[in-house]
Amino acid sequence: MPPLIRNWKSGRSAALVAAALTLTTCVSRTSAVIPTRPGKSPTSSSTPSASPSPSASPTPSPFTCAGYAPPSIAPEGNLPSPRRSAAFIYDKATDQTILFGGDAGQSAGEIPNDTWIWNGPAWSQTHPATAPPCWRSGTTSAFDDATGQVVLFGGQGPPQVLGPSYPGWFKADTWTWNGTNWSLRDTHTIPGERSWGAMAFLPGTERLVMFGGFGASNSSLGDTWLWDGQDWGQLWFTEPTPPSRSGATLAYDGHRLILFGGLHISSGPTPAGTPLNGTWAFDGTHWQQLHPPSSAPARSGAGLLQQGPNGVVIIGGFSETAQVGTYYNDMWRWDGSNWARLPVSMPGPANR
């Protein structure tokens, strides 16, 4: 894997998915039609629709860990072991935050697949009957308001020392968390394998939206997928869509989903390895590039602190230009039309 990608992956990120409320449709152009969510009544005859992707895998990838024996990583007392690139999702149904997986040193093959719960004052490890296998990091995950469950897709691992050609390195399986246990979902349509995608719930469509990620061929992805609680469907567009990227932030601002930043890895009009700072909006039917007067510097892997009617707040992230890496400790708020830096930062130096 190129040094640029290795360095990018070394950055820390955490995402807390907060409340999402109502959607206001801002633009009338339609690119696709989203079918009614299973078990729901149609809300409008013009509700947009998704169609299955011909590029989707017909069968799951070989999510096998055969031949790989992960080392035992003991908790540090009542705390999770040190790690990066873990799934960190707020479970609104239980008012707790779920920590799953991550990696703790890929050269040593240390990838935990344990599940921890943060209830505000303390951590506690839970031991579900089933859990996503293969010790993965960089999963794409979010809370599904329509079903009241956490949804986790894909990820990567076993460890980097075994290489991306190792079976099960990139994954495309879908798991849900109901507060006590993980369940593997048997979906008819399967998006392509990926890690570091962006995912958020869009209330007006009652769907989770997944965009982009880091693909199995070491390239950025720029596809848009919807999860309806039972299956995936891909949206196709006639108008421009965001450039492919991984490690972007996707959040609901009270009206639509806002996509910010990420790292473009593929070659093309945008050079490979370019950190991005463009802002895009998705209203359930199409993408629209926004041009706010000010913006945060380009970055990937930013943490999400808030989303909803009061705006979107992101924190930190990582950027690399001319092989010089910068870790940010700043905070930015999106108010619906512009980014503004907040007068607070995380402790510690910005560059480290």
Side-chain angles (χ1 to χ4, degrees), residues 181-257:
N181 195 32
W182 291 101
S183 297
L184 176 63
R185 306 301 299 269
D186 183 15
T187 62
H188 178 268
T189 303
I190 304 172
E193 302 164 331
R194 74 194 63 207
S195 61
W196 301 98
M199 186 187 291
F201 184 74
L202 184 55
T205 64
E206 296 189 320
R207 303 277 199 291
L208 278 175
V209 178
M210 179 171 68
F211 177 82
F214 181 44
S217 60
N218 287 348
S219 62
S220 295
L221 300 172
D223 46 356
T224 302
W225 291 84
L226 302 182
W227 170 253
D228 67 5
Q230 298 182 14
D231 203 0
W232 291 100
Q234 186 174 7
L235 291 184
W236 300 93
F237 303 91
T238 56
E239 72 269 11
T241 58
S244 59
R245 67 192 69 198
S246 57
T249 302
L250 185 66
Y252 179 61
D253 73 351
H255 301 284
R256 50 195 174 172
L257 294 184

Side-chain angles (χ1 to χ4, degrees), residues 50-331:
S51 57
S53 165
S55 63
S57 305
T59 57
S61 301
F63 308 121
T64 175
C65 295
Y68 170 60
S72 176
I73 306 174
E76 297 188 351
N78 293 323
L79 299 176
S81 59
R83 67 193 67 196
R84 62 186 178 184
S85 308
F88 195 49
I89 319 107
Y90 176 58
D91 183 353
K92 293 169 63 176
T94 62
D95 192 26
Q96 297 174 328
T97 300
I98 307 302
L99 174 72
F100 172 78
D103 70 73
Q106 291 193 355
S107 62
E110 299 172 351
I111 298 185
N113 75 325
D114 46 0
T115 301
W116 289 77
I117 294 175
W118 171 254
N119 63 8
W123 285 102
S124 62
Q125 185 175 6
T126 183
H127 300 279
T130 58
C134 292
W135 306 280
R136 66 192 67 197
S137 63
T139 59
T140 303
S141 52
F143 183 78
D144 184 353
D145 290 53
T147 63
Q149 295 184 330
V150 168
V151 176
L152 182 149
F153 181 82
Q156 65 184 48
Q160 186 170 322
V161 68
L162 297 177
S165 61
Y166 187 83
W169 171 262
F170 280 93
K171 299 162 182 60
D173 45 353
T174 301
W175 292 80
T176 55
W177 170 259
N178 64 4
T180 58
N181 195 32
W182 291 101
S183 297
L184 176 63
R185 306 301 299 269
D186 183 15
T187 62
H188 178 268
T189 303
I190 304 172
E193 302 164 331
R194 74 194 63 207
S195 61
W196 301 98
M199 186 187 291
F201 184 74
L202 184 55
T205 64
E206 296 189 320
R207 303 277 199 291
L208 278 175
V209 178
M210 179 171 68
F211 177 82
F214 181 44
S217 60
N218 287 348
S219 62
S220 295
L221 300 172
D223 46 356
T224 302
W225 291 84
L226 302 182
W227 170 253
D228 67 5
Q230 298 182 14
D231 203 0
W232 291 100
Q234 186 174 7
L235 291 184
W236 300 93
F237 303 91
T238 56
E239 72 269 11
T241 58
S244 59
R245 67 192 69 198
S246 57
T249 302
L250 185 66
Y252 179 61
D253 73 351
H255 301 284
R256 50 195 174 172
L257 294 184
I258 299 299
L259 179 77
F260 176 79
L263 181 69
H264 178 78
I265 303 173
S266 307
S267 59
T270 301
T274 301
L276 306 171
N277 75 332
T279 302
W280 289 76
F282 181 65
D283 64 4
T285 63
H286 75 279
W287 288 99
Q288 177 189 11
Q289 185 171 13
L290 306 180
H291 301 280
S294 63
S295 179
R299 67 191 66 195
S300 63
L304 174 64
L305 295 186
Q306 170 188 303
Q307 65 172 334
N310 294 323
V312 173
V313 175
I314 61 172
I315 183 169
F318 175 78
S319 178
E320 183 176 29
T321 304
Q323 302 301 313
V324 177
T326 299
Y327 288 86
Y328 291 100
N329 68 346
D330 50 355
M331 296 174 64

